[in-house]
Amino acid sequence: MADEGEAAMPGEAEASESATVPMDVERAAVESHATAAEGGEPEKKKRGKPKDANAPPKPKNAFQQVTGAARARIKEENPELAKDLKAMGEAMKAEWDKVPQEQKDEMQAAYEKEMEIWRPKWEAYKQTDSYKEFCDVKQDWLDGREKKKLFKAHAKQAPKKPKSGYGIFAGEIRDRVKEEVMSAGGGMGDIGVKIAAEWAEVPETKKAEYAEMAQREKEQFDVAYSAHKKTDIYKKFQEDKAKMEGRHKLKKLERSVFKQAPAKPKSAFSIFKAAVLKQVMEENKGAAAGELSKKVGDKWKATPPEERAPFEKQADALKQEYLQKMKEFKKDTTYSKFLMQRHLVRSRENRSVFLREAPKKPKSVFSLYKEAHKEEVPAGKGQGKGMNWVKSKYQTVEQDEKAKIEAMQNELKQKYEEEMQNWKSGEKFKEFQKNEAKIKREMQNEAMKVMTLKFLDDAPQQPPKTPFAVFLGEKRKAIQAGDDDPPAKKSRKALKDEVVKYQEEWKKLDKDLKSEYEDKHKELTKTWQERAKEYMAQPRWKEYMEEAKALKVPVKSLLSDKKQSIKKLKNGMKLAALPDKPEGMPVKPPGAYKLFLQAKKSEVEDVSKLPALWEGASTEEKQKYEEDAKQLLTKYEEAVRVFEQSEEGKEYLKKTKQVKKSRTIAIAKNKYLTGVPKKPESAVIIYIKSTMKDVKKERPDIRGAELTKVLKDKWSALDDSEKQPWKDKAAAAEQDYQEKLKEWKSSQNGQQYSKIMKSLSKMARPKGKLKAKAKAKAKAKAKPGSEGLKKPDSMPSKPVDAFKAFCKDQAGKGKNLAAMANDFKALEGEEKERYVNEAKERAQKYQEEMDAWQKSADGKRYAREAKLLKKRKHIAMAKEKYLKDEPKKPPSGLQLFFQDRRPGVMKENPGIKGLACNPKLAEMWKNLSDEEKKVWNDKASQDLEEYEKKTQEFKSSADYKKYASIVNRMEAKSKAKAAKKDAKKKAAAVGPAPPSNLPKKPHKPMNLFMEQNPGLGGLGAAAKKWSELGADGQKKYVDEAREKQLEYEKNMEEFRKTADGKKYFRLKEAAEKKNKLQQAKAKLLGGEGAPKEPKMPPSAYQIYVQDKRPTMTGSVGEVAKQLSTSWAALAQEEKSSFENKAKELKEQYDQDIAAFKSSDGFKKFDKLQKSMNKKNAPKKAAKPKKEAKPARPVKEPKAKAGGGKGRGRGAGARPGAAAAKAAKAASSDSDVMGSDSDSSDSSSDSD
């Protein structure tokens, strides 16, 4: 290892240093070495513990004063002591012993006086931001030291990092150089400088040898370190590192946030210590700080409680003040952000510690393709190189090759899922989940506290939850009212005993008295609900909702009503809530006893005495209350009759009856349908489930509905003998099901359920609902492709008409639709007209919004999708209607062979069925001779000819003509748009379409092998078969591929010489150039922050036209003529104002265009354009062109100037327009935007 202060060359690494040394430490060392080697002086990093330069300097005690003065003198007299700390310490002690005791006492007294001045300064400084910043720096230093310690400990167990070439050279000569430098009186730093100087003189050949030695060591190190990474030592190091980094990040986050938090208050003991410390120091002069603290502690313990009380009171006041400030601090957004960041840090640490050894996800299809063709990738970056080449190649890959790679990727994915499932059952993942749940729980708990502090403390306080809670509250208030002193805080046990005591009293109350508390509870709840609704309507509640969403905590609903919530049963069914009682529904009146309680309640202090008062009441008094109750009951019964006959009453009773019936059925199903046998699957479903796995392996690219369709088609293709085994299975399952069902129906549960359902026969599911469902299903089946289109959120909602607006106003009055329709018809003229006019205004506003929306991106997209959906729907309906008799395409020769031989293969191999026979059938097909194959192919050809003949006949039928007519009509509507799109696509294409005679690139040897040997399976299986062939077996395909490649190259060379070849490659090169320019332009001049070309200013005449055009009427031609005539007749003085304005705009434009052309984006693009033009310039020198005629000077306009052609560019046009036009003709690519003269043409080349 290099000596301290020794310089080194770049890349040096000592043998004792590990690859796990922190990068910032290693980088700093390398930078220091590089600066020293170049002859410069590196900036020395301060070493050791950081010191606070802003802190008040602490006075030195007597010993420090004496030894501090003597240290420099002793070093000068005896330099060797500087290296021996023990000897230096003994020399300092000897100097201290020489000082007389009187002098020591005087120095100590002076030190104590200085400390009395310094301590208040230090306490004040600790409250400053400077001190907090220093604490942060100091903690960072401590964290860095801990990190370095961890890395060094691991470095001792890890393979040693190899030396660089320079390090090996330095190790060889260090001892000699050290001896020479030390004998010459040099220091440690001079050793490194001398080694660096000698290294600079070493020949390059020798340096190359050292580099080779270093490379060999590095290769050995890489192998050793790769093995080390798999050891438990390395895993333990990574885990410790992740935990340490997480702890450091969390502490730093807390330090940065809690700088703004209030300081913790002093305890009673701390206040006491500050008060008596001076006295204790005087009594114990010369005592150490620890001893003084012990003396103060003993004194605090001996202090009686009455003397402690003032300190405790002061500490309690400080604590309350601190808690209040802490509440305010936690209400700030900073603390909420801190909670989210803390949660993120903890989650990351948890993932780093426990998920490090989790299985890695498999590569994507593209990544696997890239890995398979990595040897073919041209080196470099840009068009046709590196990743660009791979992406282009992948887009043109054949479907077969892509399917093989997808099959390989599916195998890897399946393997990954199995490994992940096994890993998730291990302890590591369980520990991860446990910690993750704990972190989430802590976050939610703290976030809920913060949200309560910030928002919910101001919310209306919830009322007592039950009538008993109202009773308990009244009892407690009565006790507090009779006691003048403030209530003492009760323990949890005392509160619990108190509740038990009052529960006994509550049980003794009669039903009517309890109902009084129930009524009071309802009143309190209703009042609270109104206040809660008002609170939730405030903007503060919206802030609460947004912050709760950001912190991912559940929003607390102030108005949750458990009675209205839908209850779920064990079987998943729901019990619907009973409907709310209408406001007009009569309330049952109280009886005589309850009327007595209401009247006498205010007269007694203890309501439990009311029953005794009723018992002691006279007969006359009781009779009075009974008569009142009878009158109220008579009125109630009459009101009930009226309510039952009203529309509102009928609706409420109907809903109540329906809900009760549905609840009865749900409860019966939940209670009695346990153990009922499950209906078995049909033969088709059993077949699909059995063969699905094989089909997925065979065709991994299909899934969902497409997979189901393939399986159903396979079932349809089976003959009756092949379907019979599946039908037998289904029949056996159905028989077993019927037996079990019969047994269940005879059981107690079955009989009880049947009894209930018979008694509720009218409560079966409504037929109307079933009919509607069947009707909708039939409609969907009759119109395939008729699935709805979801409306975008930005689409304006259709307004209500006059009648619906009237119904909305009448809501809540208990009227049905028919009654409201009659009321609307009976409205008076003005009121009805008001509804109609308001509806018209809403419709007009909706139409305006709809027109604007239809022009937006969402509107256009929705219109396109709706149009496409309509087209698909019509075509699907036409297919369903007219293509029913369309001939079915016959199977190929291979498929006919498979169908014929499959039963025999299944009979010979009972273990394999269905698609599993395909590999054997493919092998049999492969072994057939050409003559045998010809038999099947001829049969397939005959079937195909017959099919084509039938197809032609079908196409001449009336049904097909109708279908074709519908399709042609639908297609004709979008021909113009399609033509425009095609033109745009051609303009933006990368290159021309390849001609038909362009030679096609031949296959690789393995692809030829797979092509000539079908039925090998997936890509992995084919690769395995290919490798099993060996070099001898592969030679045939390699030679064939080589011959085809040579033939391809020869054909390509000949094609390049043809007219088609020359044209194709010329157009391709031009298209690539244009595409490259367009990409560069979009990148350099088309981004959000890219410079924009200023717009060309208008001429004087154009400004005049803009000013006068709104005042003129007539056709476009007439207005143009009027403007031209009036401009020609305009006096020069009047024209000058327009010309001056045009001149100002032109000057501003010149400045803007100059700034635009001096921008980095324009310069880069211009440079690229010029370089491309230079590359594509013809090799032969062009003939010298004639000099362009100098542009005529533009004369001042006369009275009739500008009346001819191009008046917009005429009298008021810019000077030098002709020259600009000539320049444009000379080079159309001179400007980044395609022109240097006119902004109106500037985009012509860019598109």
Side-chain angles (χ1 to χ4, degrees):
M1 191 169 182
D3 293 325
E4 185 180 353
E6 179 177 330
M9 289 300 288
E12 178 184 6
E14 299 300 333
S16 59
E17 292 295 331
S18 167
T20 54
V21 171
M23 290 303 294
D24 51 357
V25 178
E26 190 173 350
R27 196 180 298 111
V30 170
E31 288 172 359
S32 175
H33 294 161
T35 313
E38 291 169 5
E41 285 294 329
E43 184 182 349
K44 289 188 178 179
K45 187 179 177 182
K46 291 183 180 179
R47 301 183 64 188
K49 194 174 181 180
K51 294 180 181 178
D52 191 0
N54 298 324
K58 189 175 182 180
K60 293 182 179 179
N61 58 28
F63 182 79
Q64 290 171 334
Q65 292 175 33
V66 171
T67 55
R71 185 182 297 274
R73 176 172 52 79
I74 292 170
K75 277 186 179 180
E76 188 177 349
E77 292 173 357
N78 193 353
E80 293 181 358
L81 288 177
K83 299 177 184 178
D84 191 347
L85 295 178
K86 186 178 179 182
M88 176 62 80
E90 291 173 354
M92 294 294 102
K93 188 175 182 302
E95 290 293 327
W96 171 252
D97 292 338
K98 291 178 185 178
V99 179
Q101 188 61 39
E102 294 80 6
Q103 188 178 347
K104 288 180 181 178
D105 293 341
E106 289 175 5
M107 293 171 76
Q108 184 64 24
Y111 163 71
E112 288 174 359
K113 287 180 181 178
E114 289 175 355
M115 283 295 290
E116 288 179 8
I117 299 169
W118 176 81
R119 281 193 188 96
K121 288 183 180 180
W122 175 245
E123 290 298 326
Y125 177 69
K126 282 166 75 174
Q127 306 302 320
T128 62
D129 292 337
S130 177
Y131 177 74
K132 292 177 181 177
E133 288 171 8
F134 169 72
C135 290
D136 203 16
V137 172
K138 183 181 175 183
Q139 189 59 47
D140 286 343
W141 177 81
L142 291 170
D143 291 346
R145 190 169 67 170
E146 184 185 0
K147 184 178 180 181
K148 192 172 181 181
K149 185 178 178 182
L150 176 68
F151 274 71
K152 282 189 173 180
H154 174 251
K156 292 177 182 177
Q157 298 173 304
K160 303 303 178 188
K161 191 174 177 182
K163 293 181 180 180
S164 63
Y166 174 77
I168 297 169
F169 170 77
E172 290 177 355
I173 67 168
R174 181 175 286 109
D175 294 338
R176 174 179 60 79
V177 171
K178 184 176 180 181
E179 189 177 346
E180 291 174 3
V181 170
M182 289 302 182
S183 61
M188 302 298 287
D190 296 327
I191 298 172
V193 173
K194 186 169 177 57
I195 292 173
E198 290 194 18
W199 173 256
E201 295 174 2
V202 174
E204 291 300 325
T205 54
K206 190 70 176 173
K207 285 182 179 179
E209 292 177 8
Y210 283 114
E212 287 179 8
M213 291 167 63
Q215 182 61 29
R216 285 195 295 272
E217 288 185 9
K218 186 179 182 303
E219 289 171 0
Q220 293 173 1
F221 167 77
D222 289 341
V223 173
Y225 205 76
S226 297
H228 172 69
K229 280 185 175 181
K230 298 175 182 177
T231 61
D232 292 337
I233 294 171
Y234 183 79
K235 290 176 184 176
K236 179 71 168 58
F237 163 70
Q238 290 291 340
E239 189 174 324
D240 293 343
K241 179 188 166 190
K243 287 180 180 178
M244 179 191 68
E245 288 175 349
R247 188 172 64 254
H248 289 176
K249 283 179 185 176
L250 193 59
K251 282 184 179 178
K252 191 168 182 68
L253 180 64
E254 288 173 351
R255 290 198 304 272
S256 63
V257 173
F258 281 88
K259 281 180 183 178
Q260 306 166 23
K264 283 192 176 182
K266 290 183 177 180
S267 63
F269 174 71
S270 299
I271 299 168
F272 173 78
K273 182 180 179 181
V276 302
L277 184 61
K278 191 174 180 181
Q279 179 188 347
V280 173
M281 288 175 69
E282 288 176 359
E283 292 172 358
N284 302 272
K285 288 185 179 180
E291 190 177 347
L292 290 172
S293 295
K294 190 177 178 183
K295 295 280 185 186
V296 173
D298 294 339
K299 194 166 186 178
W300 170 255
K301 288 176 183 176
T303 305
E306 57 272 11
E307 292 181 19
R308 282 192 191 186
F311 299 106
E312 290 172 348
K313 189 175 181 181
Q314 188 179 352
D316 189 53
L318 289 173
K319 185 180 179 181
Q320 295 303 320
E321 184 183 353
Y322 163 75
L323 291 174
Q324 187 59 36
K325 287 181 179 178
M326 200 65 187
K327 280 184 181 180
E328 295 301 320
F329 168 72
K330 287 188 175 183
K331 286 181 182 180
D332 194 73
T333 315
T334 309
Y335 188 73
S336 300
K337 289 180 180 176
F338 160 73
L339 290 178
M340 288 189 282
Q341 290 171 346
R342 185 180 71 175
H343 177 71
L344 190 64
V345 169
R346 285 179 172 176
S347 295
R348 281 179 179 169
E349 180 190 344
N350 190 36
R351 288 197 297 273
S352 299
V353 172
F354 294 104
L355 299 187
R356 188 176 296 278
E357 299 174 28
K360 300 295 183 271
K361 280 189 177 181
K363 292 182 178 180
S364 64
V365 175
F366 175 74
S367 299
L368 291 170
Y369 175 81
K370 183 178 72 172
E371 188 177 353
H373 294 79
K374 62 183 177 182
E375 300 297 332
E376 304 170 28
V377 181
K381 294 182 180 179
Q383 191 74 20
K385 296 177 182 178
M387 187 58 71
N388 181 273
W389 181 89
V390 178
K391 288 179 180 177
S392 303
K393 187 80 174 171
Y394 182 71
Q395 289 173 357
T396 60
V397 70
E398 292 183 3
Q399 195 62 34
D400 293 342
E401 186 179 356
K402 205 170 190 178
K404 290 172 185 176
I405 299 173
E406 285 173 354
M408 184 190 294
Q409 201 257 356
N410 281 327
E411 288 177 11
L412 293 172
K413 196 173 181 181
Q414 191 174 359
K415 185 181 176 184
Y416 161 75
E417 287 171 356
E418 290 172 1
E419 289 176 353
M420 180 58 80
Q421 192 173 359
N422 293 335
W423 185 77
K424 280 185 176 180
S425 61
E427 292 300 322
K428 277 270 185 183
F429 185 72
K430 289 177 182 176
E431 192 68 24
F432 163 75
Q433 286 183 313
K434 183 180 175 183
N435 288 351
E436 195 70 17
K438 183 182 176 184
I439 291 164
K440 188 177 179 182
R441 188 169 58 251
E442 288 177 358
M443 166 68 182
Q444 280 205 347
N445 290 344
E446 186 62 23
M448 289 292 284
K449 288 177 185 176
V450 170
M451 298 296 285
T452 304
L453 277 174
K454 197 170 180 179
F455 297 102
L456 300 182
D457 274 356
D458 302 334
Q461 189 174 0
Q462 286 194 347
K465 292 183 178 180
T466 60
F468 169 71
V470 178
F471 171 75
L472 181 64
E474 285 185 359
K475 286 289 183 183
R476 285 175 173 171
K477 283 179 184 176
I479 294 170
Q480 291 174 10
D483 195 353
D484 296 334
D485 296 331
K489 192 174 181 180
K490 295 181 181 179
S491 65
R492 186 173 291 181
K493 188 177 183 305
L495 289 170
K496 192 174 180 181
D497 293 341
E498 186 181 52
V499 170
V500 171
K501 173 189 169 186
Y502 288 121
Q503 275 178 341
E504 294 299 322
E505 288 188 20
W506 173 258
K507 289 175 183 177
K508 292 176 184 177
L509 297 179
D510 58 17
K511 184 180 176 182
D512 292 324
L513 197 53
K514 285 181 180 178
S515 69
E516 287 293 312
Y517 286 103
E518 287 175 4
D519 294 341
K520 192 168 185 180
H521 172 255
K522 287 177 182 177
E523 288 175 13
L524 291 171
T525 303
K526 190 175 180 181
T527 306
W528 170 78
Q529 285 176 344
E530 290 171 359
R531 290 177 60 199
K533 284 179 183 177
E534 291 174 6
Y535 180 79
M536 291 172 75
Q538 296 174 5
R540 188 165 179 76
W541 184 257
K542 291 181 181 177
E543 292 176 22
Y544 164 70
M545 299 272 282
E546 289 172 4
E547 192 155 337
K549 190 176 179 181
L551 290 171
K552 296 180 181 178
V553 294
V555 176
K556 185 176 181 181
S557 177
L558 297 181
L559 299 174
S560 59
D561 191 353
K562 290 182 181 176
K563 289 183 180 178
Q564 294 300 321
S565 62
I566 296 173
K567 185 179 177 183
K568 283 188 178 180
L569 300 174
K570 290 180 182 178
N571 62 358
M573 295 184 71
K574 297 175 182 178
L575 289 182
L578 290 168
D580 294 329
K581 291 181 180 179
E583 292 182 2
M585 184 177 177
V587 180
K588 194 171 183 179
Y593 176 59
K594 200 167 184 180
L595 289 173
F596 173 80
L597 294 177
Q598 290 174 356
K600 299 292 181 181
K601 187 179 177 182
S602 57
E603 298 177 8
V604 295
E605 293 181 0
D606 189 358
V607 291
S608 59
K609 295 177 181 178
L610 286 172
L613 287 176
W614 172 259
E615 293 295 329
S618 63
T619 308
E620 294 80 11
E621 190 176 3
K622 285 183 179 180
Q623 191 174 359
K624 177 189 171 185
Y625 287 108
E626 286 169 357
E627 287 175 359
D628 291 345
K630 191 175 181 181
Q631 290 176 5
L632 290 173
L633 184 63
T634 305
K635 289 180 181 179
Y636 165 73
E637 288 172 351
E638 181 61 30
V640 167
R641 279 193 293 272
V642 173
F643 174 75
E644 287 176 348
Q645 296 300 318
S646 67
E647 295 294 334
E648 187 180 31
K650 288 177 181 177
E651 186 69 22
Y652 169 73
L653 293 173
K654 182 182 175 182
K655 285 183 179 178
T656 305
K657 191 176 180 181
Q658 288 175 350
V659 170
K660 284 182 177 179
K661 285 181 180 180
S662 68
R663 288 165 71 98
T664 305
I665 292 173
I667 292 169
K669 286 183 176 181
N670 182 61
K671 188 174 182 181
Y672 300 114
L673 288 188
T674 53
V676 65
K678 192 177 178 182
K679 196 170 183 179
E681 295 169 338
S682 64
V684 182
I685 301 300
I686 297 170
Y687 171 78
I688 286 173
K689 286 187 176 181
S690 301
T691 56
M692 186 178 288
K693 196 171 182 181
D694 296 332
V695 174
K696 279 184 177 179
K697 285 183 179 179
E698 193 174 296
R699 296 187 62 184
D701 56 318
I702 61 170
R703 53 180 61 86
E706 191 179 356
L707 176 63
T708 308
K709 186 177 182 302
V710 170
L711 289 163
K712 284 183 178 179
D713 290 344
K714 284 186 171 293
W715 169 261
S716 302
L718 296 176
D719 54 30
D720 293 339
S721 60
E722 290 174 322
K723 288 180 179 178
Q724 195 58 44
W726 307 104
K727 289 180 179 179
D728 292 343
K729 280 186 182 180
E734 178 66 24
Q735 187 177 355
D736 185 48
Y737 163 72
Q738 291 297 339
E739 290 175 1
K740 287 181 179 178
L741 185 63
K742 189 177 179 182
E743 185 181 343
W744 179 82
K745 282 182 177 180
S746 62
S747 67
Q748 189 176 354
N749 279 353
Q751 290 175 359
Q752 193 67 29
Y753 178 75
S754 178
K755 184 179 177 182
I756 292 171
M757 297 312 291
K758 281 179 183 177
S759 65
L760 300 172
S761 56
K762 294 180 182 179
M763 293 167 53
R765 294 179 71 184
K767 292 181 181 179
K769 189 179 283 188
L770 287 173
K771 284 180 181 177
K773 198 171 183 181
K775 194 175 179 181
K777 194 173 181 181
K779 193 176 179 182
K781 191 176 180 182
K783 297 182 180 180
S786 62
E787 56 274 6
L789 183 64
K790 187 180 178 183
K791 292 182 180 179
D793 295 336
S794 59
M795 185 177 182
S797 300
K798 196 170 183 179
V800 294
D801 58 17
F803 174 64
K804 287 180 180 176
F806 174 77
C807 292
K808 195 174 180 182
D809 292 344
Q810 297 295 315
K813 293 186 179 180
K815 296 181 181 180
N816 60 12
L817 192 64
M820 286 190 281
N822 292 330
D823 291 348
F824 183 71
K825 286 178 184 177
L827 281 178
E828 295 180 1
E830 290 182 3
E831 192 173 358
K832 193 169 186 177
E833 189 178 351
R834 177 174 66 83
Y835 279 108
V836 172
N837 291 337
E838 286 177 358
K840 284 180 180 177
E841 288 175 8
R842 287 194 295 271
Q844 187 178 355
K845 185 181 177 184
Y846 164 74
Q847 192 58 47
E848 291 171 359
E849 291 176 352
M850 198 65 183
D851 291 342
W853 181 79
Q854 284 173 347
K855 294 174 184 177
S856 67
D858 285 350
K860 290 175 182 177
R861 190 186 306 111
Y862 179 76
R864 284 196 306 270
E865 290 174 357
K867 190 174 181 181
L868 184 63
L869 182 66
K870 186 178 179 182
K871 177 182 171 183
R872 286 177 181 168
K873 182 178 175 182
H874 280 288
I875 291 174
M877 290 171 67
K879 272 187 180 179
E880 187 74 18
K881 188 173 182 180
Y882 298 115
L883 298 188
K884 290 179 181 177
D885 300 328
E886 185 181 16
K888 191 176 179 182
K889 193 172 182 179
S892 64
L894 180 68
Q895 289 171 330
L896 288 170
F897 176 78
F898 275 29
Q899 288 174 10
D900 184 69
R901 300 299 169 89
R902 180 179 278 110
V905 172
M906 290 173 65
K907 194 173 182 181
E908 292 172 5
N909 302 276
I912 58 172
K913 293 180 180 180
L915 296 175
C917 302
N918 284 1
K920 283 190 172 293
L921 291 167
E923 187 69 26
M924 290 168 67
W925 174 262
K926 182 183 171 185
N927 294 332
L928 290 179
S929 64
D930 293 339
E931 290 78 10
E932 289 173 322
K933 286 181 181 177
K934 189 173 182 300
V935 174
W936 296 102
N937 291 333
D938 290 345
K939 190 177 180 183
S941 299
Q942 290 173 7
D943 293 345
L944 187 62
E945 286 174 8
E946 185 67 25
Y947 162 74
E948 288 172 352
K949 185 180 176 182
K950 287 181 181 178
T951 301
Q952 289 300 323
E953 290 174 1
F954 175 74
K955 285 185 177 180
S956 62
S957 65
D959 281 351
Y960 183 79
K961 286 176 181 178
K962 287 177 184 177
Y963 168 74
S965 174
I966 292 169
V967 172
N968 291 337
R969 189 169 65 250
M970 297 302 297
E971 295 293 341
K973 291 180 181 179
S974 57
K975 271 188 180 180
K977 288 186 178 180
K980 286 182 182 178
K981 287 182 180 178
D982 288 343
K984 283 186 180 180
K985 285 179 182 178
K986 286 174 184 176
V990 176
S996 57
N997 56 344
L998 177 70
K1000 192 177 179 182
K1001 197 169 183 180
H1003 287 310
K1004 304 259 180 208
M1006 183 176 164
N1007 291 24
L1008 289 172
F1009 167 70
M1010 293 170 68
E1011 194 176 62
Q1012 295 174 18
N1013 297 276
L1016 292 173
L1019 186 60
K1024 188 178 179 183
K1025 296 271 187 184
W1026 172 256
S1027 61
E1028 287 173 0
L1029 288 177
D1032 295 336
Q1034 293 173 2
K1035 187 175 183 303
K1036 169 190 169 184
Y1037 301 101
V1038 172
D1039 293 343
E1040 187 179 347
R1042 189 182 297 114
E1043 288 173 9
K1044 288 188 176 184
Q1045 180 66 25
L1046 292 172
E1047 185 182 352
Y1048 164 74
E1049 290 171 0
K1050 182 182 176 182
N1051 293 339
M1052 182 59 77
E1053 194 64 34
E1054 291 174 0
F1055 173 74
R1056 284 179 179 274
K1057 296 174 183 178
T1058 63
D1060 286 345
K1062 290 175 182 178
K1063 182 182 177 183
Y1064 170 71
F1065 286 108
R1066 183 177 70 254
L1067 292 175
K1068 186 180 178 184
E1069 186 178 356
E1072 286 174 353
K1073 176 191 170 184
K1074 184 176 180 181
N1075 193 36
K1076 189 172 182 181
L1077 281 173
Q1078 286 177 356
Q1079 289 176 356
K1081 189 172 183 180
K1083 181 179 179 182
L1084 300 171
L1085 300 175
E1088 191 176 339
K1092 305 293 180 187
E1093 184 185 18
K1095 202 171 182 181
M1096 190 72 189
S1099 64
Y1101 176 72
Q1102 288 171 329
I1103 297 170
Y1104 171 76
V1105 168
Q1106 291 170 5
D1107 186 51
K1108 296 297 181 183
R1109 177 67 183 84
T1111 62
M1112 296 185 177
T1113 57
S1115 65
V1116 177
E1118 290 170 356
V1119 170
K1121 192 173 180 181
Q1122 290 175 31
L1123 288 168
S1124 180
T1125 307
S1126 62
W1127 171 257
L1130 205 64
Q1132 184 58 40
E1133 291 79 9
E1134 293 179 357
K1135 281 186 179 181
S1136 61
S1137 64
F1138 294 103
E1139 288 167 355
N1140 291 336
K1141 192 171 182 181
K1143 188 178 178 182
E1144 290 175 8
L1145 292 172
K1146 180 66 171 66
E1147 289 172 357
Q1148 181 62 41
Y1149 168 75
D1150 291 340
Q1151 293 176 11
D1152 293 344
I1153 198 71
F1156 170 70
K1157 289 186 176 182
S1158 63
S1159 65
D1160 290 339
F1162 177 82
K1163 286 177 180 178
K1164 288 177 182 177
F1165 181 77
D1166 191 45
K1167 184 179 178 182
L1168 174 67
Q1169 191 178 36
K1170 285 176 180 177
S1171 66
M1172 290 184 70
N1173 290 337
K1174 192 174 179 182
K1175 286 178 186 176
N1176 296 323
K1179 294 181 180 178
K1180 293 180 181 179
K1183 291 180 181 180
K1185 292 184 180 179
K1186 294 179 181 181
E1187 293 184 3
K1189 292 181 181 180
R1192 293 180 183 177
V1194 180
K1195 296 180 180 180
E1196 288 296 322
K1198 295 182 181 180
K1200 292 186 179 181
K1205 291 183 181 179
R1207 52 185 171 272
R1209 309 288 185 212
R1214 60 197 181 284
K1221 194 170 182 182
K1224 182 180 176 182
S1227 175
S1228 63
D1229 292 332
S1230 61
D1231 188 0
V1232 60
M1233 303 304 284
S1235 173
D1236 206 15
S1237 61
D1238 192 352
S1239 63
S1240 64
D1241 297 333
S1242 62
S1243 62
S1244 61
D1245 291 340
S1246 64
D1247 296 332

